[in-house]
Amino acid sequence: MKAYVIEQAGGPEVLQLRDIPSVAPNAEEVRIRVRAFGLNRAEVYRRAGKMGPVAGQVVPGIEAVGEVIEDRSGTFRIGKRVATAMGGLQFSRNGSYAEEVTVLRSNVIDLDGTSLSWEELAALPESYLTVWGALGRLIDTVPGQTVLVRGATSSVGQAAVAYAKVRGQRVLATTRSAANAARLTTIGADAVIIDSGEVSDQVRVAAPEGVDVVLEVVGAATVRDSLKALKPFGTAVVIGLLGGAPVLENLHLMNDLPAATRLAFFPSGLFGTAALPASDAPLNWIAGQVASGAMPSLRVQTFDFDDVRRAHSLIESDRAIGKLVVMV
């Protein structure tokens, strides 16, 4: 099969398209013919050596959609449309920048319930599964809350805005650039706050009692300020590292955490485990919402398989406000 491989850390030029052997699945795995995959910062960081050393030959990619080629258990029939994400992709196993990928069965979702095209489906898994994992237990069954998305112009931030809105929440979104405000309003934000590094006072103007939930995409650099926006018994969930290393120095439990608030970190690698099984994921429902127009498509550009280097360059330029997809 053809696959992109990385043999040393570096810029987009280290992505090499090669012929490598397919990987036969074991009893706990499924082999998938990849039709399309979404691009993520995680792959850029992996390529650049920011997520551990590049030892040997690494195939990047943490999500894909396609058709089942082989499942020894018979759980998924041959030809079934599926999605997959995480489960060690690009770290403990070959990633999804390939014509085929062999993945843990526990990280596969049946997509037979949707008629969305491959390129639209490819924009969904990683972003929406992360948002669902981080927010689902907080907002799915309790509409009418106020949700703040800090770092909303990232692809996962935009997914959070769209997801929270369709779940019946009032959504406040932050961006560092006023030029992005219209985009965030279009996908569901009720109010957009320009982020100068501190937004809690502005949030308190829009929501005087504070917000119920904060989804913190920027990370440690802004989380103290985001916590100040919470009302008592509110929850802040950190999912992103856009602001640098995930380290909070000298966290003062009484001064930095407002009364009776909660701070959590959600790693997307939890998806597919017993704590967050793929069978519970509402990905077909999300695809249906996108197909009906109830939720916007976050895909902004589709690339051919031989153009992945250019796609990586676009991500690094910070000019891609939305999800980039590659067709295989």
Side-chain angles (χ1 to χ4, degrees):
M1 66 176 182
K2 291 188 180 299
Y4 280 92
V5 301
I6 303 165
E7 296 175 331
Q8 63 182 20
E13 71 280 356
V14 303
L15 289 161
Q16 302 292 323
L17 188 57
R18 300 268 181 83
D19 284 307
I20 67 171
S22 298
V23 178
N26 64 29
E28 283 76 44
E29 295 175 329
V30 176
R31 187 159 60 103
I32 297 168
R33 165 66 169 97
V34 176
R35 295 297 182 183
F37 55 84
L39 296 169
N40 301 279
R41 286 276 179 180
E43 294 123 35
V44 174
Y45 294 157
R46 185 73 172 110
R47 188 208 73 217
K50 296 179 180 179
M51 301 185 80
V54 177
Q57 193 177 77
V58 173
V59 178
I62 59 173
E63 64 175 322
V65 294
E67 298 154 330
V68 173
I69 298 173
E70 187 177 359
D71 179 4
R72 290 169 54 185
S73 74
T75 301
F76 295 100
R77 63 171 172 76
I78 306 305
K80 181 176 284 294
R81 288 157 55 94
V82 295
T84 189
M86 302 307 296
L89 288 172
Q90 85 169 4
F91 294 104
S92 59
R93 62 180 60 243
N94 286 344
S96 56
Y97 284 24
E99 292 178 322
E100 297 178 7
V101 65
T102 298
V103 301
L104 292 171
R105 187 178 300 105
S106 58
N107 285 73
V108 178
I109 300 173
D110 184 339
L111 290 179
D112 271 355
T114 177
S115 59
L116 272 186
S117 66
W118 288 122
E119 61 180 340
E120 290 293 348
L121 285 171
L124 305 181
E126 177 65 18
S127 293
Y128 279 108
L129 291 173
T130 299
V131 169
W132 164 70
L135 295 184
R137 287 165 172 77
L138 298 171
I139 70 171
D140 282 4
T141 59
V142 188
Q145 301 181 89
T146 301
V147 177
L148 171 65
V149 181
R150 187 80 182 258
T153 51
S154 64
S155 57
V156 70
Q158 290 187 47
V161 171
Y163 184 83
K165 188 62 178 179
V166 81
R167 288 298 193 184
Q169 313 301 334
R170 181 185 180 217
V171 184
L172 310 181
T174 77
T175 176
R176 291 179 299 174
S177 172
N180 295 326
R183 166 69 174 173
L184 295 175
T185 300
T186 298
I187 64 174
D190 294 285
V192 177
I193 295 169
I194 307 306
D195 194 341
S196 62
E198 295 184 359
V199 301
S200 55
D201 288 344
Q202 296 179 73
V203 173
R204 289 285 178 172
V205 173
E209 296 181 358
V211 301
D212 298 277
V213 178
V214 174
L215 188 73
E216 176 58 80
V217 184
V218 180
T222 57
V223 69
R224 279 187 173 89
D225 181 58
S226 293
L227 287 167
K228 295 177 184 177
L230 286 172
K231 63 173 59 172
F233 301 102
T235 302
V237 184
V238 181
I239 62 169
L241 306 175
L242 297 178
V247 177
L248 276 177
E249 295 184 1
N250 301 317
L251 177 69
H252 195 297
L253 294 178
M254 295 180 66
N255 293 342
D256 293 332
L257 281 175
T261 56
R262 293 165 291 193
L263 173 62
F265 177 75
F266 176 78
S268 58
L270 196 63
F271 174 69
T273 68
L276 197 67
S279 57
D280 290 350
L283 201 59
N284 268 292
W285 176 81
I286 291 167
Q289 297 296 304
V290 174
S292 70
M295 288 173 68
S297 168
L298 302 181
R299 181 183 61 84
V300 293
Q301 191 167 348
T302 301
F303 292 84
D304 293 331
F305 190 48
D306 61 2
D307 211 11
V308 168
R309 288 179 175 181
R310 187 166 67 90
H312 267 233
S313 296
L314 183 58
I315 292 177
E316 289 184 307
S317 74
D318 291 326
R319 290 183 289 109
I321 308 301
K323 189 75 174 184
L324 305 183
V325 166
V326 174
M327 294 292 292
V328 181

